[in-house]
Amino acid sequence: MNIRRIPILLYVLVLLALVLSACAPASTTPPPTGVVETVVVEKEKVVTPTAAPEGPVTISFWHAYNADVEAKFLEQTIIPAFEAQHPNIKVQAVLVPYDQFRRKLLIALSGGTAPDVARVDIIWVPELADQGALAKLDETMTDFETLKDQMLPGPLSTNFFQGHYYGLPLDTNTRVLVYNKAMFAAAGIEKPPATVDEFLAACEKIKQLGEGKYCFADGGTYAWAVNPWIWSFGGDITDPQITKASGYVNSPETAAAYQFLKDGVDNGYIHPGIKGGGVDAWGGFAKDEIAMLLEGPWFPPLFGSQFPDKDYGLALMPAGKGGSISVVGGEDIVIFQQSQHKEAAAEFVRFMLSEETQLKWVETGQMPVLKSAGDSEVIKNHPFFGIFLEQLKTAKARTPHPAWARMEEKLTNTGQAILAGEGTVQENLDRLATDLDALLASSQ
């Protein structure tokens, strides 16, 4: 299909490092950082495409799977299986290193050479959709509603923007509570805390173990770290329509979550590294200095390879007024508006989201996004995916909005000010609400 385009204007300005979807193996940190660039574009205008050409077509699939395991699995197992089922469609896989991905993608969009389909970070979807770069899958795919209903709601929500779905979840992750069995036994704690009140009771017992013993540790006040507490306390960052922060980020519930974190630091329950000084959380956990962490599905294999003899347990996020709610990470699969082979690209999306393919990816450590996956023998027999899929039933995504990078910078700085005692919790959150309202208004 031939598509006529108006070129995209691209202005690139390197601004800041952005927290993304996985944590560094040596400590509790946000997802990997990449370069974030402010982009000003003209939204793409597309005319009705002509009929698809006869014969085989080739679609390009850009991704940032790791080269050693995931990319090889894609090229040696997944793509051959797809092409065997669809002999008229060939897939050209293009591995783009994560730290270069966003920049190369924006340049390709500017030059009219975007891929047909891509695996992108969940926080990029609103920005790309706002630029007019992505196809609306709820209009492009006739079976979209059927596919949509099969997805876990948290990962699915990362694809919704201004009334349309611009992608579907491809793989996912979340954070659950990891607890140190040796420290629990020494403190006389019989089971992991199921509620915030039980968490605080456990912290008081851990504190009695002596100086240098901490109940909990995390790497900072970015959304990946604080949002699970905000949501579990019943608070939020914005209204559901993402039009205002006032009344939400400065609500009594959100304030209670920040007060909880500040009290935890002041009382010696939470390692002071959360104030921005850094913490070797995994090392401290292994040496029985830290009793609890929030970690993702990368923790068991990576921590186990470093500390094979350390015993630990996994449990759900402690529940508060809002329930047990953690944060969603992962990647989405999208089709680009520039693609001349949208039907073929849609077939590849369907294949990647089939239960058979989703469960194949489990052997590489990728978590499936289908509701049905939890009932499969593959997951039931998996050593640790079950607890993460259970947490994903209630997990939420960080605010899906084009201005999110700037919003999170202000959120992080506000958290640091609160923990440092620079003004009251409410004063800081009221200022944050005003700042976020301005960002939301300017992006509408």
Side-chain angles (χ1 to χ4, degrees):
M1 293 178 284
N2 295 320
I3 298 181
R4 294 166 51 199
R5 299 175 293 271
I6 290 180
I8 300 175
L9 297 178
L10 172 65
Y11 301 94
V12 180
L13 174 62
V14 176
L15 290 183
L16 60 142
L18 178 64
V19 172
L20 300 175
S21 54
C23 293
S27 64
T28 300
T29 61
T33 10
V35 174
V36 175
E37 301 163 359
T38 296
V39 179
V40 180
V41 299
E42 289 182 356
K43 296 185 179 180
E44 191 167 354
K45 298 178 182 178
V46 181
V47 297
T48 303
T50 57
E54 295 181 2
V57 299
T58 298
I59 59 172
S60 57
F61 173 54
W62 286 19
H63 64 87
Y65 286 120
N66 70 62
D68 294 336
V69 176
E70 297 166 351
K72 287 182 179 178
F73 189 76
L74 172 71
E75 296 190 10
Q76 297 175 6
T77 301
I78 300 299
I79 290 177
F82 171 78
E83 292 179 345
Q85 291 184 22
H86 303 82
N88 285 331
I89 305 174
K90 302 300 179 184
V91 179
Q92 179 185 33
V94 179
L95 171 58
V96 183
Y98 183 82
D99 59 356
Q100 302 173 29
F101 200 118
R102 185 174 176 276
R103 176 180 174 80
K104 287 194 173 184
L105 184 57
L106 294 172
I107 292 173
L109 286 165
S110 177
T113 58
D116 295 284
V117 62
R119 173 185 184 255
V120 300
D121 193 288
I122 59 175
I123 64 171
W124 296 349
V125 174
E127 177 193 11
L128 292 170
D130 189 51
Q131 294 172 8
L134 303 180
K136 299 173 182 176
L137 293 196
D138 49 9
E139 294 181 353
T140 302
M141 302 177 71
T142 57
D143 57 345
F144 180 81
E145 287 299 317
T146 299
L147 289 169
K148 169 176 165 285
D149 291 343
Q150 296 171 359
M151 303 294 130
L152 291 166
L156 175 67
S157 69
T158 65
N159 295 278
F160 189 73
F161 179 69
Q162 293 186 348
H164 290 280
Y165 284 92
Y166 289 87
L168 283 163
L170 182 58
D171 52 74
T172 190
N173 59 68
T174 188
R175 306 179 85 194
V176 301
L177 193 72
V178 181
Y179 61 96
N180 185 316
K181 289 187 175 181
M183 292 185 74
F184 269 41
I189 304 170
E190 297 182 356
K191 60 181 182 179
T195 67
V196 170
D197 287 342
E198 290 179 9
F199 180 89
L200 290 172
C203 284
E204 185 56 35
K205 291 182 178 180
I206 294 295
K207 185 177 181 180
Q208 301 307 313
L209 294 178
E211 187 177 354
K213 305 292 184 180
Y214 293 97
C215 178
F216 179 74
D218 214 328
T221 53
Y222 37 78
W224 186 252
V226 302
N227 276 23
W229 297 109
I230 291 172
W231 291 324
S232 295
F233 269 77
D236 214 329
I237 306 301
T238 73
D239 64 321
Q241 293 74 36
I242 317 180
T243 60
K244 64 177 182 177
S246 293
Y248 295 87
V249 79
N250 59 342
S251 69
E253 292 79 9
T254 302
Y258 276 102
Q259 191 65 57
F260 159 82
L261 294 173
K262 185 178 188 314
D263 291 345
V265 173
D266 293 346
N267 292 332
Y269 297 162
I270 299 177
H271 192 286
I274 196 174
K275 295 195 293 184
V279 53
D280 178 10
W282 288 19
F285 188 89
K287 292 186 289 186
D288 295 337
E289 297 171 353
I290 296 170
M292 287 182 277
L293 306 169
L294 285 177
E295 282 294 354
W298 48 83
F299 180 85
L302 294 180
F303 182 83
S305 67
Q306 296 179 46
F307 308 101
D309 299 325
K310 186 61 187 171
D311 197 14
Y312 62 88
L314 303 174
L316 297 177
M317 175 78 191
K321 179 180 177 180
S324 168
I325 305 179
S326 192
V327 61
V328 171
E331 285 76 28
D332 294 329
I333 190 165
V334 298
I335 296 174
F336 284 86
Q337 193 66 275
Q338 290 181 5
S339 171
Q340 297 185 13
H341 305 297
K342 290 188 178 67
E343 291 184 9
E347 281 300 309
F348 185 65
V349 169
R350 293 184 184 99
F351 180 83
M352 292 292 278
L353 296 178
S354 67
E355 183 169 313
E356 180 181 2
T357 303
Q358 285 275 295
L359 293 178
K360 280 182 180 179
W361 275 108
V362 168
E363 65 182 83
T364 70
Q366 295 289 318
M367 286 191 65
V369 295
L370 301 175
K371 295 175 183 175
S372 61
D375 297 325
S376 70
E377 291 302 313
V378 172
I379 298 301
K380 287 181 178 178
N381 296 327
H382 194 276
F384 56 84
F385 269 5
I387 187 70
F388 289 97
L389 285 173
E390 181 66 24
Q391 187 72 76
L392 277 164
K393 291 179 180 178
T394 59
K396 293 184 179 181
R398 288 158 288 174
T399 310
H401 192 276
W404 172 242
R406 288 172 289 164
M407 292 171 65
E408 185 172 34
E409 181 182 16
K410 292 183 178 298
L411 182 78
T412 301
N413 292 340
T414 297
Q416 293 299 301
I418 288 172
L419 296 186
E422 299 172 2
T424 69
V425 170
Q426 194 63 54
E427 289 170 347
N428 278 284
L429 293 182
D430 286 343
R431 282 194 295 270
L432 176 62
T434 300
D435 290 344
L436 297 188
D437 281 344
L439 283 174
L440 290 170
S442 66
S443 301
Q444 291 175 3

